[in-house]
């Protein structure tokens, strides 16, 4: 039977649903309404227009209404907002902004894909600055044209989430003087505090004035005033503190809203009305790891939901195992990605999960290949079951590969033993014969077997202040090129001759460059009868990254004689 | 109890086992014998010395015997070959090549990691050319020094496996005139014939004279004579036709040899003698997909086996789910990787498995990102269960990422539905919101639901010769820039107006650039009542790659008016 399907919202989710619906039925009538002037644009690519990587803003628009019509026989109506739903009569009211008229369309099935909108809080003096938000092609075009016309190139970005960081980076690459303000102690909460310091440093080193732990108190003419009292001169302000699901339409239609404030849907993305589906940033989804609902504003899940909805409308059964959340971001020369749970998320959620972490740094490819670089990696797993819970990777090399491997493993319910057992493709230009993810599995196995104890670099400052006994097992030359203040240097190569210099009556902390040699030293000492030896995971390299940014911005006395990032 | 453990072979497997053994016990005596002058070198990196990517041959050596001694208290004896095993008395005979003496060492446990050696067949006139093989640092140094001294830079590489291709590429990059001779119809059998054409083209386009389907008949002074009668002038010949496991020592000691000709081991890598283990290229391993033994000369598995053996000797239980085989290779500007089964392997094995394939090309990152490029992808899955069996990926972008995702999925027993459901990390510089691997899962789902029929590009020439009805649904401009001879151009954008031009009484084959638009056309026609419409998977882009190399070398009449590789 011929169906009439209306879709509200024409970006990722809506457009994808429309195309799939057409493939499943040639006869159904499919109408897609988009409030803005463009349907189907690459929203994730918007910031890249600011740096000129995507030079032509028109290229951001992937499909025109005309193309939808001729290629898929889909009726796309832009500048058309669905303003209300009459569920009883199964019809919607549409406002056409071009003709400035309101009309009614009937539906058999309705798909809501309205997205989320940037949060714009009421801040004192907000009318005194040039405020921008970024949601669509018009927004980015407007921002780009405005900043291009500036003689003083001071721009402030408020908010250190994905959009804020990408906007800051792309404007910086275009030569603007950027201040990035983040209210909490860190940007990008998909990374834990220890990992994100690497990104803080990268942003700082690229001459972005990164301010954390400070909020906007007020705006004044060409000025941002922070709660700390600090004032920032600025010609433009990009507000990117977050997004909120577009739920007005759904709420007014009496559809159930979930506890996260997003539209509630069932496993098949159906709302509380049997004939209305909802997908994308406007809904909340089930987190397979926390067993609770959460908001997941990502393009991949939106496309998956779009397909699932089109299938369900056409009687095709789908699979929905819940979500784990995987994401990636480029931050200047670094690639960063994360999947599943992290410590931030676990602490913020209600779930009681007994997890442990593995933090390591390994070469992303064979060390003698010229562009080999350290890959910083963090793994979370459940202590009782060994199940992998999440991971974060940051480096100049292929971080998304490592995270996608872990994302696949988590989705399949894999454990740290499975991680050890993976057979990954290897050649010297791509990785090492034992990849960093395999190493993470092995280390997790060692820890969970009780083979050794570890401590993360975020505890180092406290240890140093308390005069803990710390042994640096790097070679003498390395030690001289920068070390933690007050440590003893016993190179691994001298350990078996000099181990009697190490006390047995108190905890001994060992580190090297990345934690690999010190791990060998820790187990050697254990086997030599030392009961209380602890490996400093990540070691001097991770520590340098961990301390650097805060030392700089807090003007803090470093605990190292010299940082070393090699 | 203190153990005495001897290790035969000091490269990947041996060195790795030694280090793990030391971590597990400080008191055990560990002695490692290496026939050659270097222990622990990066054998996979050897070819990269020829191009100068790894300039200094010494860098290929990762650890010196001295470093093994001071860092791990491991006794490494280079230039020392174990020449016999006395299992009854648990001792080995060692020949020291430096002192030219033979001595005896006792063992509690013995680990064999002798590797595999290049096959050098008896070919007529072999003494008349400068023959080289590549196994270790000495070999590559010798080859490099020899070719550097040549005035006429003609070098022939025999054998299109990993080492042959990498050697040809690296010598070519260094400016040599290279002929690469492969006896079978294709190089690199980890890729199927349809996929490998992309690599054939890449090698051909980089001015390597690639000869397939031809074998060496004889050598003459500075000359290679092929079975076809063709003669190649050459100053040096690199023989890389394959390797054979080093089993002499094991065989003479009466250890069981498997049917593949490699050493037989159990799940814990123990030979038929309870106190003797064997690992690496010298053993055969169990293939979890074919349920049969095979040889797997790869570094990753060798390292895994090394750890497993060290663990087993120390009473730690391991996991062995069998092997699937994952590998990668760089071929000039292309990255290529494969995992699990391919059609070559299935045809060559005894297993009866009802599989189907998905062949697709998708952008490796968002199309508007400047360095986005096509990723060629092939997936094999079992028809009855949907279980993913294998995959191959080739492109300028991140092929190993896609293969590692599939390798992880296969190892975890994943299906095509699981593949659809994966949540991968996405940002425009890295991938697309729906990644090529997700697409592969969706296409597999469509095929297995019977939503459409497909044919691979390797059948196109036959179709064209038989005057099949082929519709090109690309836009007119694209058609004019090169198309399959004799096809009808009905752009997707005109299909719904012009579909009556298409006959209903015979099979109709549709293609576009990559198969995505033609898939939409196929389902549209199906929904319009056409029963026999077939999508040409990979479409014009895959076809161009498929035909190009053979057209060139066979001087064959192209079936396209012009190739298109964009």
């Amino acid at each position: 039977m011929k169906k009439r399907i209306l879709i509200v919202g024409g970006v990722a989710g809506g457009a994808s649903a429309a195309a799939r619906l057409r493939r499943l039925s040639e006869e159904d009538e499919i109408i897609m309404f988009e409030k803005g002037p463009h349907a189907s644009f690459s929203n994730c690519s918007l910031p890249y227009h600011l740096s000129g990587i995507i030079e032509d803003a028109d290229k951001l628009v992937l499909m025109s209404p005309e193309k939808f019509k001729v290629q898929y026989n889909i009726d796309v109506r832009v500048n058309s907002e669905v303003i209300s739903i009459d569920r009883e009569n199964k019809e919607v009211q549409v406002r056409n902004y071009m003709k400035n008229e309101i009309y009614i369309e009937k539906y058999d099935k309705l798909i809501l894909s309205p997205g989320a909108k940037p949060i714009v809080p009421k801040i004192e003096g907000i009318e005194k600055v040039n405020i921008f938000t970024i949601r669509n092609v018009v927004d980015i075009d407007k921002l780009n044209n405005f900043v291009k016309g500036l003689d003083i190139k001071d721009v402030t970005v408020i908010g250190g989430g994905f959009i804020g960081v990408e906007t800051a980076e792309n404007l910086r690459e275009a030569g603007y003087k950027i201040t990035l303000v983040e209210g909490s102690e860190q940007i990008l909460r998909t990374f834990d505090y220890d990992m994100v310091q690497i990104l803080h440093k990268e942003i700082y080193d690229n001459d972005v004035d990164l301010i954390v732990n400070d909020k906007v108190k007020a705006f004044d003419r060409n000025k941002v005033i922070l709660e700390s009292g600090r004032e920032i001169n600025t010609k433009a302000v990009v507000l990117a503190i977050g997004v909120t699901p577009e739920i007005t339409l759904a709420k007014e239609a009496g559809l159930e809203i979930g506890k996260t404030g997003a539209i509630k849907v069932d496993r098949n993305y159906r709302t509380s009305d049997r004939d209305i589906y909802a997908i994308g940033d406007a809904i909340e989804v089930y987190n397979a790891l926390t067993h609770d609902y959460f908001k997941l504003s990502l393009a991949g899940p939106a496309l998956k939901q779009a397909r699932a909805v089109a299938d369900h409308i056409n009687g095709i059964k789908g699979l929905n195992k819940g979500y784990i959340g995987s994401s990636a971001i480029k931050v200047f020369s670094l690639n960063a990605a994360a999947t599943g749970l992290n410590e931030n998320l676990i602490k913020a959620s209600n779930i009681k999960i007994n997890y442990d972490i593995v933090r390591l740094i390994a070469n992303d490819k064979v060390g003698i290949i010229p562009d080999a670089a350290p890959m910083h990696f963090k793994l979370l797993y459940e202590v009782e079951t060994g199940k992998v819970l999440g991971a974060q990777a940051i480096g100049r090399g292929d971080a998304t590969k490592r995270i996608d491997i872990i994302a696949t493993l988590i989705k399949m319910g894999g454990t740290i033993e499975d991680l050890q057992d993976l057979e990954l493709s290897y050649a010297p230009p791509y990785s090492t014969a034992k990849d960093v993810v395999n190493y993470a599995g092995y280390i997790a196995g060692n820890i969970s077997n009780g083979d050794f104890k570890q401590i993360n670099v975020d505890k180092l400052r406290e240890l140093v202040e308390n005069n803990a006994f710390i042994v640096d097992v790097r070679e003498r030359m390395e030690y001289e090129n920068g070390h933690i203040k007050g440590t003893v240097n016993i190179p691994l190569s001298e350990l078996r001759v000099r181990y009697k210099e190490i006390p047995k009556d108190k905890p001994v902390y060992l580190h090297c460059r990345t934690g690999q040699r010190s791990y060998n030293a820790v187990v050697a000492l254990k086997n030599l009868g030392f009961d209380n030896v602890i490996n400093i995971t990540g070691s001097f390299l991770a520590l340098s990254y961990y301390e650097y940014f805060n030392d700089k911005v807090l003007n803090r006395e470093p605990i190292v004689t010299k940082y070393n990032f090699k």
Side-chain angles (χ1 to χ4, degrees), chain A:
Chain A
M1 209 193 65
K2 186 178 156 175
K3 299 178 290 295
R4 192 164 215 267
I5 304 162
L6 306 187
I7 301 168
V8 179
V11 195
S16 191
R20 175 71 179 163
L21 283 167
R22 175 55 69 228
R23 284 196 297 271
L24 293 172
S25 161
E26 187 63 25
E27 60 172 0
D28 285 350
E29 200 175 346
I30 303 163
I31 309 173
M32 184 163 80
F33 303 97
E34 168 56 40
K35 196 162 61 170
H38 306 111
S40 189
F41 58 87
S42 177
N43 36 9
C44 301
S45 302
L46 295 173
Y48 293 91
H49 177 51
L50 300 171
S51 58
I53 287 177
I54 298 167
E55 228 184 299
D56 187 357
D58 290 343
K59 285 207 168 171
L60 292 163
V61 181
L62 306 173
M63 288 274 283
S64 65
E66 294 69 34
K67 208 167 166 186
F68 269 110
K69 186 69 201 168
V70 295
Q71 284 208 359
Y72 299 117
N73 189 25
I74 292 165
D75 182 358
V76 176
R77 304 185 188 168
V78 292
N79 298 306
S80 299
E81 184 177 6
V82 173
I83 53 175
S84 73
I85 306 167
D86 179 347
R87 288 166 52 193
E88 207 166 326
N89 295 307
K90 293 176 78 170
E91 55 188 39
V92 299
Q93 255 195 329
V94 185
R95 174 176 284 135
N96 180 331
Y97 284 101
M98 299 309 277
K99 298 190 182 164
N100 205 15
E101 64 179 24
I102 290 172
Y103 62 96
I104 289 201
E105 289 287 359
K106 288 249 168 212
Y107 66 81
D108 296 308
K109 300 287 174 189
L110 178 64
I111 301 172
L112 304 179
S113 180
K117 64 184 168 203
I119 296 168
V120 181
K122 283 192 179 118
I123 299 172
E124 190 196 319
I126 198 161
E127 71 288 351
K128 295 181 186 166
V129 284
N130 296 297
I131 283 276
F132 295 87
T133 56
I134 298 176
R135 186 179 182 184
N136 54 38
V137 180
V138 175
D139 292 343
I140 206 75
D141 213 23
K142 216 154 66 178
L143 171 60
N144 194 49
N145 288 332
F146 181 82
V147 294
K148 267 192 178 161
L150 291 175
D151 45 349
I152 297 168
K153 294 180 168 297
D154 294 354
V155 181
T156 304
V157 179
I158 316 280
F162 288 119
I163 299 174
V165 170
E166 285 173 341
T167 300
E169 172 182 338
N170 280 282
L171 285 171
R172 181 73 201 96
E173 297 279 19
Y176 296 93
K177 190 174 163 296
I178 304 298
T179 306
L180 176 59
V181 182
E182 164 59 42
S184 77
E185 63 177 4
Q186 69 161 92
I187 61 169
L188 299 170
R189 299 192 68 79
T190 43
F191 299 92
D192 284 327
Y193 188 69
D194 58 330
M195 292 293 284
V196 88
Q197 301 308 327
I198 303 161
L199 301 176
H200 284 172
K201 172 181 185 297
E202 181 74 4
I203 291 171
Y204 179 89
D205 285 352
N206 277 282
D207 290 326
V208 169
D209 190 2
L210 172 61
I211 300 170
V212 295
N213 254 327
D214 209 345
K215 288 194 175 74
V216 178
K217 190 182 159 196
F219 295 109
D220 202 346
R221 194 156 171 71
N222 291 334
K223 200 170 278 182
V224 184
I225 302 157
L226 302 182
E227 285 183 352
S228 64
R230 190 167 162 182
E231 298 192 356
I232 306 158
N233 291 322
T234 197
K235 291 289 177 183
V237 173
V238 181
L239 256 190
I241 58 172
V243 296
T244 185
E246 291 268 22
I247 57 165
T248 314
L249 185 67
K251 207 171 167 182
E252 286 177 354
L255 299 177
E256 190 181 346
I257 305 298
K259 64 177 179 177
T260 69
I263 301 171
K264 181 104 192 148
V265 292
D266 68 10
R267 270 192 92 192
N268 298 304
Y269 309 103
R270 195 147 56 168
T271 66
S272 50
D273 183 313
R274 280 187 64 84
D275 296 313
I276 306 178
Y277 296 80
I279 58 176
D281 294 359
I283 66 167
E284 58 179 34
V285 293
Y286 191 73
N287 188 312
L289 297 167
T290 63
H291 305 284
D292 202 356
Y293 286 89
F294 73 136
K295 288 183 282 189
L296 189 64
S297 292
L298 294 171
L303 299 189
K304 187 159 73 172
Q305 293 152 18
R307 186 179 171 103
V309 162
D311 283 359
H312 194 258
I313 287 174
N314 286 281
I316 301 172
K317 241 184 81 174
L319 185 75
N320 185 353
K321 295 191 187 177
Y323 290 81
I324 61 169
S326 303
S327 61
I329 184 168
K330 187 177 95 61
V331 180
F332 293 97
S333 73
L334 293 179
N335 304 306
T339 186
L341 298 182
N342 62 20
E343 297 195 81
N344 284 335
L345 259 163
I346 293 175
K347 279 169 201 157
S349 81
N350 287 324
I351 80 161
K352 297 263 172 288
I353 196 161
N354 186 14
Y355 70 91
D356 207 341
I357 69 154
V358 171
R359 175 90 156 74
L360 79 154
I361 304 171
N363 275 326
D364 59 354
K365 49 191 82 169
V366 171
I368 49 178
I369 295 288
D371 64 345
M375 179 60 61
H376 299 258
F377 194 79
K378 182 173 179 174
L379 182 84
L380 280 83
Y381 65 95
E382 190 174 33
V383 172
E384 280 79 1
T385 62
K387 277 215 175 164
V388 176
L389 298 172
Q392 300 151 59
I394 303 175
R396 283 180 208 282
D398 200 341
T400 63
K401 168 160 78 175
R402 274 72 188 200
I403 290 306
D404 286 350
I405 293 166
I406 303 292
T408 304
L409 194 70
I410 294 176
K411 206 84 185 193
M412 298 300 295
T415 64
I416 52 176
E417 286 78 20
D418 292 314
L419 189 51
Q420 297 168 6
D421 197 41
L422 292 183
E423 285 174 73
L424 305 172
S425 65
Y426 157 64
Y430 307 119
S431 57
T432 52
K434 208 184 266 180
D435 189 70
V436 56
V437 302
N438 299 122
Y439 274 115
Y442 285 127
I443 297 173
N446 291 335
I447 296 169
S448 88
N449 285 338
D451 290 352
F452 75 99
K453 284 187 288 189
Q454 62 172 3
I455 192 167
N456 200 356
V457 288
D458 53 2
K459 303 293 184 305
L460 254 285
R461 184 168 282 271
E462 205 185 314
L463 288 183
V464 170
E465 283 165 2
N466 292 325
N467 297 311
F469 197 89
I470 302 172
V471 181
D472 184 337
V473 304
R474 296 176 302 162
E475 297 303 305
R476 287 159 191 249
M477 270 289 264
E478 297 175 88
Y479 184 81
E480 279 158 26
N481 282 333
H483 59 263
I484 302 169
K485 291 171 185 168
T487 50
V488 181
N489 181 217
I490 305 179
L492 176 57
S493 61
E494 301 172 20
L495 183 71
R496 285 174 180 88
V497 189
R498 292 177 55 193
Y499 69 90
K500 283 178 181 150
E501 297 172 29
I502 299 169
K504 282 197 167 177
D505 59 349
K506 56 174 169 183
V508 175
Y509 301 89
L510 284 89
H511 79 85
C512 58
R513 176 177 159 262
T514 65
Q516 226 170 325
R517 277 175 287 169
S518 54
Y519 158 57
N520 278 284
V522 164
V523 291
L525 289 176
K526 255 195 82 178
N527 291 335
L528 288 165
F530 288 78
D531 286 335
N532 209 350
V533 281
I534 299 129
N535 193 27
I536 299 170
T537 175
S539 281
F540 200 73
L541 187 55
L543 182 73
S544 293
Y545 278 100
Y546 185 75
E547 295 286 319
Y548 176 88
F549 173 73
N550 279 332
D551 283 356
K552 294 287 179 192
V553 300
L554 301 176
N555 226 333
R556 197 169 66 173
E557 176 68 20
I559 58 167
V560 298
T561 60
K562 213 169 93 184
Y563 310 104
N564 197 334
F565 301 107
K566 271 181 203 152

